[in-house]
Amino acid sequence: MSRLPHDLPAFEEQVADLRGYLMKFARLQLRNETWAEDAVSEVMLAALAKPQAFGNRSQLKTWLVGILKHKIIDAIRQRAREVCQEQDRSESDEDPLDYLGFKADGHYVEPPAEWGNPEQQASSRQFFEVLEACVSHLPVVQGRLFLMREWLELSSEEVCKELGLTSTNLYVQLHRARLRLRECLELNWYGKAVQP
Amino acid sequence: MPLKRTCKEATALMVAREDRSLAWRDHLALRLHLLVCKACPRFERQMLGMRQQLKQWRNYTMPD
């Protein structure tokens, strides 16, 4: 059996201090303030009710995010119908593939830009801030589905099962989300003349 | 459908394979297109880069 954290009041304070960090990811994934508040409150309650479960095996932040991911999957499961129904007024029926610039014969007008070494870029905190901003600007449903794949690490089959979506519908949304994210990164990171 | 693909079709396949397995015929057609096209390998590098960046971001949200 795991032991209680050495200094329980300090543990409770550290958990409370991480609330903002957890809210950031809950908002990004759920795109609904009330749902995010509920999920994070459940994480805090679970952590404070069973502090012995932490056991110092990892960083507290990592342990709490792990709990949050499970709470978010529960929240999505409970609201499966709503998760896929909100439509953005800004969302058009255009395929973002058309923004890449193809000639009538289907070939590129201009070849895509070279992005350099992605691993080097991704080691920068500033890059992650741009990435998170780009994800938060995706249309609501696309953003939720995209992060279910990329942050919650669910397979396409699992996403379809959880939400009762057809695979065709899911693939259309993910196709648009990935192309919009690519475009946003190109404009807001790779397109900048000066990079850190 | 013949194995020849345009850049637009190849680009759509490169996006699709992030979320599903391609049919063997599409997979083969894409490989052939990437061998002869000068523009599409750049898009392929962008998609592979995004895959790597998302993985690193995921790790950043849950540090060891």
Side-chain angles (χ1 to χ4, degrees):
Chain A
M1 187 180 156
S2 301
R3 288 184 302 176
L4 283 168
H6 181 63
D7 183 347
L8 196 56
F11 171 81
E12 291 176 352
E13 195 175 326
Q14 286 172 340
V15 169
D17 286 347
L18 285 167
R19 191 173 184 287
Y21 182 81
L22 297 173
M23 275 302 291
K24 180 174 85 162
F25 294 111
R27 278 192 193 104
L28 199 59
Q29 170 67 73
L30 292 168
R31 305 289 287 271
N32 178 304
E33 193 67 18
T34 307
W35 300 358
E37 290 269 2
D38 287 351
V40 170
S41 295
E42 285 187 32
V43 173
M44 312 288 279
L45 287 172
L48 297 175
K50 286 193 171 178
Q52 67 274 23
F54 173 46
N56 285 319
R57 285 186 300 272
S58 61
Q59 281 194 32
L60 180 60
K61 189 188 275 189
T62 298
W63 182 62
L64 292 174
V65 170
I67 299 173
L68 177 64
K69 286 186 174 185
H70 285 103
K71 297 294 181 191
I72 284 175
I73 291 173
D74 288 345
I76 287 171
R77 203 171 275 155
Q78 286 164 12
R79 301 173 173 97
R81 284 171 64 92
E82 293 169 80
V83 164
C84 298
Q85 278 184 338
E86 282 176 55
Q87 284 300 319
D88 284 57
R89 298 190 194 291
S90 61
E91 197 174 350
S92 72
D93 281 339
E94 284 179 38
D95 185 343
L97 194 62
D98 294 329
Y99 307 156
L100 280 164
F102 293 102
K103 292 185 277 193
D105 65 2
H107 291 285
Y108 277 104
V109 175
E110 291 284 336
E114 283 290 2
W115 277 7
N117 183 343
E119 288 198 45
Q120 228 167 17
Q121 314 272 0
S123 60
S124 140
R125 187 184 174 134
Q126 279 172 293
F127 175 80
F128 291 137
E129 285 171 4
V130 171
L131 179 65
E132 286 168 12
C134 285
V135 171
S136 73
H137 280 84
L138 289 174
V140 172
V141 174
Q142 281 175 33
R144 285 177 187 149
L145 296 175
F146 177 74
L147 284 181
M148 285 178 81
R149 289 277 294 119
E150 293 294 347
W151 190 60
L152 296 177
E153 298 183 84
L154 298 176
S155 68
S156 294
E157 291 74 20
E158 287 171 322
V159 175
C160 288
K161 190 178 160 197
E162 292 293 354
L163 299 175
L165 272 180
T166 65
S167 54
T168 305
N169 191 341
L170 176 68
Y171 296 147
V172 167
Q173 299 279 11
L174 290 172
H175 165 93
R176 292 177 175 198
R178 289 186 188 283
L179 284 168
R180 283 202 165 103
L181 181 64
R182 191 211 72 90
E183 183 185 32
C184 183
L185 288 175
E186 181 148 277
L187 286 172
N188 295 288
W189 183 262
Y190 294 104
K192 301 285 186 196
V194 180
Q195 288 176 15
Chain B
M1 192 176 182
L3 285 176
K4 194 170 167 58
R5 294 286 184 276
T6 65
C7 291
K8 190 172 184 178
E9 289 165 339
T11 299
L13 288 172
M14 285 188 270
V15 178
R17 72 178 175 185
E18 295 298 310
D19 297 297
R20 64 178 170 89
S21 301
L22 297 181
W24 71 269
R25 203 174 174 79
D26 283 335
H27 174 77
L28 189 59
L30 176 59
R31 297 318 308 165
L32 286 171
H33 181 89
L34 287 168
L35 281 174
V36 298
C37 180
K38 286 187 175 171
C40 286
R42 286 191 177 192
F43 186 87
E44 182 179 42
R45 286 195 287 277
Q46 289 184 356
M47 291 307 289
L48 293 173
M50 273 175 58
R51 191 188 300 172
Q52 189 66 28
Q53 287 158 346
L54 285 163
K55 184 180 171 185
Q56 288 185 263
W57 173 70
R58 205 161 43 232
N59 293 339
Y60 162 78
T61 68
M62 295 183 79
D64 288 331

